[in-house]
Amino acid sequence: MMQELQGYLRLDRFPHMWCPGCGNGIVLGCLLRAIKKLELDQDRTVIVGGIGCSSRAVGYLDFNTLHTTHGRALAFATGIKLARPELHVIVITGDGDATAIGGNHFIHAARRNIDLTVVLFNNNIYGMTGGQYSPLTPGGKKATTAPYGTIEHNFDVAELARSAGATYVGRSTTYHSNLLANLIAAGIENKGFSLVEAITACPTAYGRRNKMRSGAEMLLWQKENAVHVKKTERMAPAELAGKIVIGELHKREAPEYTAMYEQLIAEAGRETGGGSVTPLKGR
Amino acid sequence: MGKSMELRLSGTGGQGLILAGIIIADAAIRDGKNSVQSQSYGPEARGGASRAEVIISDEEIDYPRVAHPNVLLVMSQEAYDKFAADLDRGGVMIIDSTYVQERPGIDGAVYTLPISSTAREQVGREMVANVVALGAMVRITGVVSRRALADALLARIPRGTEELNLKALETGWQLAEKVLH
Amino acid sequence: MSQVIEMARLMQGNEAVAEGALAAGVRFFAGYPITPSTEIAEIMADRLPRLGGKFIQMEDEIAGLAAVIGASLAGLKALTATSGPGFSLMQENLGFAAMAEVPCVIVNVQRSGPSTGMPTSPAQGDVMQARWGTHGDHPVIVLSPSSVREAYDLTVRAVNLAEKYRVPVILLMDEVVGHLREKVVLPARGEVETVDRPSPKVPPGEYVPFRPEDNLVPPMANFGEGYRYHVTGLAHDEKGTPTNNPALAEQLLLRLHDKINMHLDDILLDDAKFLEDAEIVVLAYGSTARPARRAVKEARGRGIKAGLYRPLTLWPFPAKKVRELAEQAHSIIVPEMNLGQYRLEVERVVRDRARVSGVNRVHGELIEPEEITAAILEVV
Ligand SMILES: Cc1ncc(C[n+]2csc(CCOP(=O)(O)OP(=O)(O)O)c2C)c(N)n1
Ligand code: SF4
């Protein structure tokens, strides 16, 4: 990891737990570059994770960090953001965490357009528990619980977020890391619910079973299959089959939840005899 | 427990009996007494049988449920069939004759009043039948003072309906007056 | 303001919980509607924004408690309210709050179960779930009110204990108390004692987030105040770093228990009537304590030396007191709207020092005084 990003890490927590060839470190690096670019105040930034290999990233970061229960990171984050709208709240989650057990929280956080930035580490598999299929495992791919290949249809999580109400949606891969960092920065800047899907390699639990033995091989796969959204306009649907569309996929203006709540407070009028929320101490 | 009065207001959901129970309990507090009010709901949804219970006492009230009411208001046939037999010996039953037609014999003082039809015809809105019933019930039983009843009523109804409700209360009072004399 | 509040008024149990929460300084509510607790959410939705606080209706109870924990970490006193089915959904995050030591209050207005059961009927079937519902050994404080005024007082107390000891506190009500309206005189706002979480006394550089003070409670920094630290439901060391070290893990779990057990004098609260010379003790909690009190008075009227013992703190269990009662009385009767959950614990502590019996109903109605009187007559 670049020298300049070391100030964002809890170096005493290293070595990290990820396998050789795992893409999680690359996604994390992109997140930190985005934070660096925006010069977010570490004291004023909260990073919330669910449960999974990816979510473990929060423990390595020198911010206010919260490692929650499986699938629930967005619900915890909603409480933090609503309680203290002045804080930046970023959520790190896996594909299983966000779209299986946490699917309900995911669509509702998007629907509220609450100002959270979700970095979804999509490795197409449950890494932490050893390779079971997730709602983002493409049809036909193998997993320990799909030894014959999964017969389920996978979500397009970017599409899901868009239709649920997200105001910013982007996708990139760990191979296209500059783009990924830029998309995350744009997601943080968006005042509303932002999803950045990061396609990342899990050689241990996914690649191995699906004819991609190493992290490097998987990066190559990302390189060869990614198509920038701008190019897709000129492509026929058949050409796009099996491709990963990357870039800024969706952006729109809509009122943000905590801002609307502040307005509600202003309009509801003060009750006499009550206190108010005390401002943050320290600074 | 000698000084306590136990009331049950029964009928169907939507007749406003729970609100009526709350108003009586509130009035009792305004009279300086203790009171508890509880209700049994039908299923989570509306409609169906409805019952509100109130206990008024000078002492601390332990058990909040009413087994044998001293005062029983009955505003539907179903409620009559279910509860009439619970009336305490020497208790007072007030029946809304608009909805209760069949009345097998019951011990105690029974007052049969056209509560709902009077609300409809004389006050103009059947919706306030609960308040007409309150007026009649308090006139007959004296469980709370008239003053406290009116204050509690005004405190618990939507703004803008004061006149309508006070008229309903007075109508109920007069309805009882007629049968008492 | 105080004049209005000091006046006697008719108030519902659920309303008293909301009033108590606000008086205790709760400024955040997240939850999901469920009978018979919904009034609490409705009142909070109305009142909180007018106090500068926040209300949010979440997509389910799992999210409700998650958001409450998040808000608490961000520095607000936070509460959620539910009933059986929702309480079941909250169990995982309840364990999280215990493990990560996040102050929060969960109100469970018990209804008849299992499953959807009878949504509008009372029960006390969640007594053991409140104690042991989440997985793993964990400390918990559970309070149970019998009246509307007590619902108010114990809500304030629940918030204070949660903050003081950094634990989830459960207010275990039942439908009877939740929906009952009765006369209350509430203290003026200024007269309510409120407790805030212990805050760090050292600058951020020296802060060790899970290092306890002498009372075994670690001071708590709120997110955003300059103390950057890690919060996790994994076993962790004093710095909050996840660990698989058996010694560290055990040390943490034992401290979590000890921080409650060493403060029993502060945490346990109870009430008694006619206990001085009682030979028969009726031990009752929640709404069941009301018919129990009537039955005990009735028995005294007949010259029977009966008394009422009423634990307001259900968990931790008042073992010492119950043991004393067993020395004094020949019989203990435990009426409950369940099949004997709390009686199990009473029996465990009493052993053969006294005869323990129950009055147990699961028909969704409050137990009648006569049923308890009959149980008293049986052991005279
Ligand atoms: C309630 C609950 N169910 C199951 C688990 C076990 N579990 C831990 S991580 C995980 C899957 C994680 O997959 P994903 O979110 O894709 O993250 P990854 O590990 O691949 O980064 C599961 C099922 C759990 N911790 N909690
Ligand atoms: S299992 Fe997969 S996701 Fe987890 S650390 Fe290993 S490579 Fe990364």
Side-chain angles (χ1 to χ4, degrees):
Chain A
M1 193 149 301
M2 283 187 293
Q3 201 70 26
E4 53 167 18
L5 300 180
Q6 285 199 356
Y8 292 139
L9 296 172
R10 292 178 175 138
L11 294 171
D12 59 335
R13 307 270 165 110
F14 283 74
H16 60 66
M17 53 146 311
W18 295 318
C19 309
C22 177
N24 286 349
I26 306 177
V27 184
L28 186 58
C30 293
L31 168 62
L32 295 183
R33 272 153 65 195
I35 288 173
K36 177 94 193 158
K37 180 176 164 192
L38 301 175
E39 295 180 334
L40 297 190
D41 180 347
Q42 279 159 275
D43 287 339
R44 296 297 199 133
T45 303
V46 183
I47 306 186
V48 186
I51 295 288
C53 294
S54 37
S55 297
R56 279 292 184 100
V58 296
Y60 306 127
L61 303 176
D62 190 11
F63 295 82
N64 302 282
T65 55
L66 174 62
H67 180 225
T68 63
T69 45
H70 192 25
R72 319 299 174 197
L74 276 166
F76 283 80
T78 297
I80 296 169
K81 184 68 190 179
L82 181 55
R84 295 284 183 206
E86 65 271 32
L87 300 176
H88 296 284
V89 184
I90 296 166
V91 174
I92 288 178
T93 177
D95 43 310
D97 198 59
T99 69
I101 192 165
N104 201 31
H105 310 308
F106 183 79
I107 56 173
H108 289 285
R111 178 179 60 81
R112 291 185 191 104
N113 191 34
I114 184 164
D115 185 17
L116 303 172
T117 303
V118 179
V119 182
L120 191 158
F121 291 47
N122 180 8
N123 58 9
N124 307 106
I125 201 82
Y126 286 7
M128 180 71 114
T129 43
Q132 301 75 32
Y133 66 94
S134 92
L136 299 192
T137 304
K141 296 294 181 190
K142 289 190 174 158
T144 60
T145 46
Y148 310 107
T150 173
I151 53 169
E152 295 192 13
H153 305 286
N154 57 310
F155 275 132
D156 177 336
V157 71
E159 213 33 55
L160 181 66
R162 192 189 61 81
S163 46
T167 44
Y168 185 90
V169 180
R171 181 192 289 130
S172 185
T173 77
T174 48
Y175 180 82
H176 306 86
S177 61
N178 281 338
L179 174 65
L180 182 55
N182 288 337
L183 293 175
I184 295 173
I188 294 171
E189 277 187 306
N190 172 51
K191 189 115 186 71
F193 186 88
S194 307
L195 168 73
V196 179
E197 180 186 357
I199 307 290
T200 173
C202 170
T204 308
Y206 183 69
R208 219 155 43 86
R209 283 188 194 89
N210 290 288
K211 302 190 184 115
M212 291 181 283
R213 234 151 276 115
S214 70
E217 225 175 297
M218 297 184 82
L219 275 174
L220 218 58
W221 171 81
Q222 291 172 10
K223 179 188 173 197
E224 280 160 12
N225 285 278
V227 182
H228 199 279
V229 64
K230 284 185 190 141
K231 284 198 194 142
T232 59
E233 287 152 25
R234 285 171 270 126
M235 290 170 73
E239 279 181 277
L240 274 172
K243 297 288 181 206
I244 312 163
V245 179
I246 58 173
E248 195 169 277
L249 305 180
H250 170 70
K251 201 174 166 177
R252 97 189 146 91
E253 294 283 323
E256 191 272 331
Y257 184 81
T258 61
M260 288 179 75
Y261 204 96
E262 293 299 325
Q263 199 179 328
L264 182 156
I265 288 177
E267 284 164 13
R270 281 273 137 167
E271 191 171 299
T272 49
S276 65
V277 177
T278 43
L280 283 177
K281 278 181 273 179
R283 16 199 321 152
Chain B
M1 297 302 294
K3 276 169 269 168
S4 85
M5 279 298 269
E6 307 199 353
L7 292 75
R8 182 180 295 160
L9 285 55
S10 64
T12 47
Q15 282 181 318
L17 292 171
I18 291 172
L19 178 61
I22 293 171
I23 290 168
I24 290 261
D26 187 340
I29 291 173
R30 288 166 198 266
D31 281 339
K33 297 188 173 161
N34 282 320
S35 69
V36 301
Q37 182 273 333
S38 64
Q39 58 226 37
S40 93
Y41 296 79
E44 271 173 290
R46 304 282 155 211
S50 160
R51 141 172 72 137
E53 293 175 348
V54 180
I55 301 175
I56 299 171
S57 176
D58 292 326
E59 292 162 20
E60 196 180 9
I61 300 163
D62 293 328
Y63 186 60
R65 300 288 199 230
V66 171
H68 298 292
N70 312 109
V71 178
L72 176 62
L73 170 70
V74 183
M75 291 186 61
S76 76
Q77 187 67 47
E78 191 191 341
Y80 183 90
D81 297 342
K82 218 168 149 188
F83 301 129
D86 291 347
L87 186 68
D88 195 43
R89 255 179 300 138
V92 174
M93 177 148 59
I94 298 163
I95 296 173
D96 182 355
S97 58
T98 316
Y99 293 113
V100 184
Q101 268 90 37
E102 291 163 39
R103 299 188 284 276
I106 287 290
D107 278 354
V110 178
Y111 297 85
T112 306
L113 307 171
I115 294 168
S116 294
S117 55
T118 302
R120 196 178 333 136
E121 286 150 22
Q122 290 185 29
V123 193
R125 302 280 292 277
E126 183 164 342
M127 205 183 73
V128 292
N130 59 344
V131 179
V132 174
L134 277 180
M137 191 165 81
V138 171
R139 174 65 191 89
I140 291 167
T141 63
V143 282
V144 293
S145 71
R146 185 176 181 174
R147 170 85 196 274
L149 180 65
D151 287 349
L153 173 69
L154 291 175
R156 295 202 176 251
I157 51 167
R159 225 177 286 162
T161 67
E162 291 86 353
E163 211 174 308
L164 177 75
N165 277 290
L166 287 176
K167 185 173 171 198
L169 195 65
E170 176 62 24
T171 306
W173 195 273
Q174 294 307 331
L175 200 60
E177 195 79 40
K178 262 187 270 169
V179 296
L180 287 174
H181 292 288
Chain C
M1 163 200 95
S2 54
Q3 254 172 349
V4 184
I5 291 178
E6 274 166 22
M7 237 176 56
R9 55 172 158 161
L10 186 70
M11 183 176 274
Q12 195 186 46
N14 282 344
E15 199 181 340
V17 169
E19 289 293 345
L22 295 172
V26 167
R27 290 296 177 269
F28 190 93
F29 182 102
Y32 190 82
I34 184 168
T35 304
S37 76
T38 308
E39 292 86 358
I40 301 172
E42 289 169 343
I43 295 168
M44 295 304 254
D46 177 35
R47 300 283 298 286
L48 275 172
R50 291 194 274 132
L51 291 163
K54 311 286 171 66
F55 167 92
I56 185 168
Q57 180 173 314
M58 295 299 286
E59 50 274 16
D60 58 30
E61 290 85 348
I62 301 172
L65 184 50
V68 156
I69 294 170
S72 180
L73 284 165
L76 298 190
K77 292 183 181 175
L79 173 142
T80 185
T82 188
S83 187
F87 192 56
S88 292
L89 288 183
M90 287 182 184
Q91 293 304 325
E92 190 190 17
N93 286 336
L94 181 60
F96 182 92
M99 187 64 149
E101 302 182 69
V102 185
C104 57
V105 175
I106 298 136
V107 182
N108 175 3
V109 188
Q110 293 171 95
R111 67 190 222 182
S112 179
S115 191
T116 313
M118 290 190 279
T120 54
S121 301
Q124 295 175 313
D126 306 350
V127 169
M128 278 296 177
Q129 189 191 20
R131 177 63 195 90
W132 295 115
T134 194
H135 58 281
D137 284 296
H138 60 282
V140 72
I141 297 176
V142 179
L143 310 177
S144 184
S146 299
S147 68
V148 173
R149 173 62 205 250
E150 224 163 66
Y152 177 91
D153 291 338
L154 292 189
T155 303
V156 172
R157 193 175 163 79
V159 176
N160 287 348
L161 290 174
E163 294 285 319
K164 187 170 180 184
Y165 296 114
R166 295 188 59 179
V167 283
V169 176
I170 296 163
L171 184 76
L172 197 63
M173 302 236 289
D174 56 61
E175 189 274 342
V176 175
V177 178
H179 277 160
L180 190 70
R181 286 186 181 80
E182 64 186 333
K183 177 178 166 176
V184 288
V185 182
L186 297 187
R189 274 272 168 86
E191 285 166 24
V192 176
E193 191 209 339
T194 62
V195 176
D196 294 332
R197 57 194 60 176
S199 52
K201 295 172 193 70
V202 295
E206 292 163 33
Y207 182 54
V208 183
F210 296 97
R211 177 171 295 164
E213 305 212 296
D214 291 344
N215 67 356
L216 298 188
V217 183
M220 179 173 174
N222 301 321
F223 281 177
E225 288 179 350
Y227 294 79
R228 301 195 298 265
Y229 68 105
H230 186 55
V231 180
T232 178
L234 289 165
H236 48 272
D237 62 16
E238 290 188 344
K239 287 164 79 180
T241 309
T243 179
N244 279 329
N245 178 323
L248 286 176
E250 189 169 64
Q251 188 186 324
L252 170 64
L253 284 191
L254 292 178
R255 177 176 65 76
L256 293 183
H257 274 80
D258 290 345
K259 80 173 172 182
I260 299 303
N261 291 336
M262 100 184 244
H263 297 106
L264 290 183
D265 286 349
D266 183 34
I267 294 168
L268 295 182
L269 195 68
D270 57 19
D271 180 46
K273 193 158 185 87
F274 306 129
L275 214 51
E276 302 76 31
D277 60 344
E279 291 166 2
I280 299 169
V281 172
V282 179
L283 188 158
Y285 56 90
S287 64
T288 307
R290 303 182 70 126
R293 191 164 53 204
R294 162 107 68 111
V296 165
K297 284 181 188 168
E298 163 90 21
R300 284 278 165 177
R302 299 186 194 202
I304 300 168
K305 288 187 172 170
L308 174 69
Y309 177 68
R310 210 160 62 82
L312 305 187
T313 309
L314 289 188
W315 305 109
F317 186 76
K320 187 161 156 264
K321 181 69 194 181
V322 170
R323 220 171 282 126
E324 279 168 28
L325 293 175
E327 299 292 348
Q328 169 189 337
H330 61 72
S331 295
I332 299 179
I333 299 168
V334 190
E336 300 176 86
M337 287 187 283
N338 62 44
L339 293 177
Q341 296 188 15
Y342 209 59
R343 174 163 45 104
L344 267 179
E345 196 70 6
V346 175
E347 283 168 347
R348 187 180 70 75
V349 166
V350 169
R351 303 217 178 156
D352 47 16
R353 279 182 279 246
R355 175 179 163 177
V356 179
S357 59
V359 178
N360 302 97
R361 302 306 306 258
V362 286
H363 53 2
E365 302 271 356
L366 182 54
I367 292 174
E368 290 173 13
E370 294 74 22
E371 298 176 85
I372 301 171
T373 304
I376 294 174
L377 291 177
E378 210 164 284
V379 298
V380 168

